[in-house]
């Protein structure tokens, strides 16, 4: 069962009791990521995430890690475009211990300037490392093509020049604005009772945080049709094509997910069968939806030999036109539904995934994420609904494109794709 409790100061707790598990994952989720940043602070959410592990008033950086390692657990964090999450996965008997450690990191991190300068170097290396991963560069480039270099179009890690100049006071001001009770949800998934989870939150979190104020949700951004390229010394060419999708918890979410599964998810998908299996022109090819509050987009990605860029784009165009014109088969529809339901059910065997979904929905949508509702929603979808959202999304005339290759791609590739 899933439970939510909201306190007067705005702090929320969400719990999924999974008594058959030996473990649990607990995390605190903060409603800020790169989509709420601007040019003056892009990358601060991620920088703060790193600094939360660099020592508190009672623990050194090493002691934070050892406090979880010695009980056989795991502690980690991630920053996305709309959320930052710090979490621990432990045996259920160490639930309170893990909550205390996470609260210590949140409430008592020192942000020592020497540690900050050291971690700054680590992040700059991380930026350089990311620049050596051309597929990730291509994904980021597509987001910028669709949204511009603002909001969802911004990179999570930030630019080197901004990270290089960030001061301790800059980060503390950012924390004061966003790390408040009205912008934090504590989520639990695993072998724990709701009453115990609430007791731990009340002991270690509730009256120790700044109440602050609620943070405005990111509004729908303007979608653009742009073509961005980057020349890099890489063997493969990386191609991403983007379309306006649907937001997190959009009314057509299940039909949209079934469509993306049929078109570009897995080895039986149309894109995989055509581009890899029939033509052998890509090892990796897929379609993937990204969801945000009030925003979303669909990305088609393929990696191929640079000499095949135009051919792969033409094959993608042909498959889009075919599925838009002819629709999907009954077999594809049933397979897409089953594939989606299977993915939802399998995800429930990982308490970290469950915790993340619970925290995100509670934090950003103020609602519970339940498997039963998700499965019922998928079962209720009709074939005509899938075809309707598919035709709405796959509008080639409004598409954006990004390519990373060792030679400059032709300048008219997007216009040819849209024609």
């Amino acid at each position: 069962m899933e439970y939510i409790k909201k306190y007067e100061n705005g702090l929320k707790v969400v719990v999924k009791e999974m008594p058959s598990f030996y473990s649990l994952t607990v995390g605190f989720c903060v409603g800020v990521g790169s989509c709420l940043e601007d040019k003056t602070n892009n990358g601060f959410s991620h920088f703060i995430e790193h600094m939360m592990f660099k020592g508190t008033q009672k623990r050194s950086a090493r002691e934070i890690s050892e406090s979880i390692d010695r009980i056989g657990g795991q502690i980690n964090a991630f920053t996305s475009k709309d959320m930052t999450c710090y979490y621990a996965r432990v045996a259920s008997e160490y639930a309170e211990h893990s909550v205390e450690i996470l609260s210590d990191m949140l409430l008592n991190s020192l942000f020592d300037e020497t540690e900050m300068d050291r971690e700054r170097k680590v992040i700059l290396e991380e930026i350089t490392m990311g620049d050596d991963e051309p597929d990730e560069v291509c994904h980021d480039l597509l987001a910028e093509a669709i949204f511009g270099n603002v909001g969802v179009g911004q990179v999570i890690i930030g630019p080197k020049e901004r990270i290089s100049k960030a001061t301790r006071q800059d980060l503390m001001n950012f924390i004061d604005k966003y790390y408040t009770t009205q912008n934090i949800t504590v989520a639990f998934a695993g072998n724990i009772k709701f009453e115990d989870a609430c007791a731990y939150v009340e002991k270690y979190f509730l009256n120790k945080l700044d109440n602050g104020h609620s943070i405005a949700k990111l509004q729908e951004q303007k979608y653009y049709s742009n073509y961005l390229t980057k020349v890099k010394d890489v063997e493969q060419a990386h191609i991403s094509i983007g379309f306006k999708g649907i937001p997190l918890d959009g009314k057509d979410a299940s039909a949209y997910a079934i469509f993306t599964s049929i078109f570009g998810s897995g080895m039986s998908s149309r894109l995989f069968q055509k581009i890899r299996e029939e033509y052998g022109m890509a090892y990796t090819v897929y379609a993937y939806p990204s969801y945000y509050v009030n925003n979303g987009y669909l990305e088609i990605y393929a990696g191929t030999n640079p000499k095949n860029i135009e051919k792969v784009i033409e094959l993608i165009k042909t498959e889009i036109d075919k599925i838009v014109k002819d629709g999907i088969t009954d077999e594809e529809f049933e397979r897409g539904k089953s594939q989606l339901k299977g993915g939802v059910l399998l995800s429930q065997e990982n308490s970290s995934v469950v915790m993340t979904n619970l925290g995100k929905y509670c934090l950003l949508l103020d609602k519970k994420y339940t498997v039963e509702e998700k499965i019922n929603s998928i079962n209720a979808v009709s074939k005509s609904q899938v075809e309707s959202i598919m035709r709405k999304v796959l509008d080639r005339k409004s598409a954006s494109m990004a390519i990373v290759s060792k030679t400059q791609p032709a300048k008219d590739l997007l216009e040819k794709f849209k024609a």
Side-chain angles (χ1 to χ4, degrees), residues 16 34 37 42 52 87 97-98 145 165 169 186 226 245 284 288 301 359 372 405 407-408:
K16 176 156 189 177
S34 57
E37 298 169 349
N42 184 208
M52 287 285 186
Y87 63 95
H97 177 69
S98 60
K165 296 177 181 178
Q169 192 58 53
V186 187
N226 285 328
T284 303
Y288 179 78
Y301 168 84
E372 292 76 17
S405 181
T407 57
Q408 182 64 49

Side-chain angles (χ1 to χ4, degrees), residues 391-408:
R391 292 184 172 112
K392 181 179 178 181
V393 170
L394 291 178
D395 176 11
R396 287 193 290 103
K397 294 187 182 302
S398 63
S400 285
M401 184 181 293
I403 298 178
V404 176
S405 181
K406 64 182 178 182
T407 57
Q408 182 64 49

Side-chain angles (χ1 to χ4, degrees), residues 87-328:
Y87 63 95
R89 186 180 184 192
V90 297
S92 57
E93 65 188 282
Y94 297 110
E96 182 173 3
H97 177 69
S98 60
V99 173
E100 187 275 323
I101 293 168
L102 290 171
S103 70
D104 186 35
M105 292 166 58
L106 173 61
L107 301 169
N108 303 312
S109 285
L110 296 174
F111 284 77
D112 176 79
E113 292 188 355
T114 299
E115 286 283 0
M116 184 173 169
D117 286 338
R118 185 180 295 120
E119 200 62 24
R120 188 195 316 274
K121 294 177 184 177
V122 173
I123 294 172
L124 292 175
E125 288 298 321
E126 188 178 356
I127 294 172
T128 300
M129 181 180 70
D131 200 43
D132 285 339
E133 298 176 355
D135 54 337
E136 294 299 322
V137 173
C138 194
H139 299 324
D140 287 340
L141 206 59
L142 179 67
E144 182 180 347
I146 295 172
F147 296 104
N149 193 20
V150 296
V152 179
Q154 294 185 122
V155 295
I156 293 169
I157 200 167
K160 284 186 175 181
E161 56 271 22
R162 184 64 263 171
I163 299 304
S164 297
K165 296 177 181 178
T167 67
R168 182 182 189 277
Q169 192 58 53
D170 288 335
L171 299 192
M172 299 312 293
N173 290 342
F174 194 91
I175 288 172
D176 288 344
K177 180 176 181 179
Y178 291 105
Y179 279 61
T180 65
T181 55
Q182 298 200 42
N183 202 38
I184 291 177
T185 291
V186 187
F188 296 79
N191 189 359
I192 190 168
K193 293 186 178 298
F194 177 62
E195 295 79 8
D196 292 336
C198 291
Y200 299 149
V201 170
E202 290 161 13
K203 181 176 179 179
Y204 294 106
F205 281 92
L206 182 57
N207 295 314
K208 303 177 187 295
L209 285 162
D210 181 3
N211 288 359
H213 58 277
S214 59
I215 304 299
K217 293 179 181 178
L218 181 71
Q219 296 305 301
E220 182 176 1
Q221 292 186 234
K222 183 176 180 180
Y223 288 72
Y224 296 94
S225 177
N226 285 328
Y227 176 41
L228 297 179
T229 64
K230 182 170 284 190
V231 175
K232 292 183 67 66
D233 185 17
V234 292
E235 290 304 310
Q236 268 199 321
H238 301 264
I239 305 163
S240 288
I241 302 171
F243 303 85
K244 182 177 180 179
I246 68 171
L248 184 67
D249 204 37
K251 66 181 182 68
D252 296 313
S254 292
Y256 177 61
I258 292 169
F259 143 61
T260 57
S261 176
I262 293 167
F263 193 61
S265 176
M267 296 174 66
S268 61
S269 70
R270 290 205 179 191
L271 289 176
F272 191 96
Q273 285 295 314
K274 176 63 67 174
I275 295 171
R276 174 167 163 163
E277 298 296 277
E278 185 174 337
Y279 282 87
M281 286 195 175
Y283 178 78
T284 303
V285 56
Y286 57 80
Y288 179 78
S290 293
Y291 304 94
Y292 305 98
V293 174
N294 298 317
N295 297 276
Y297 65 98
L298 174 70
E299 175 179 357
I300 297 172
Y301 168 84
T304 189
N305 189 302
K307 69 180 183 181
N308 293 329
I309 290 176
E310 293 195 42
K311 180 61 177 177
V312 168
I313 292 173
E314 185 62 30
L315 287 172
I316 293 171
K317 177 179 178 179
T318 299
E319 286 305 301
I320 288 173
D321 289 348
K322 182 179 179 181
I323 200 169
V324 167
K325 178 177 180 292
D326 300 334
I328 59 175

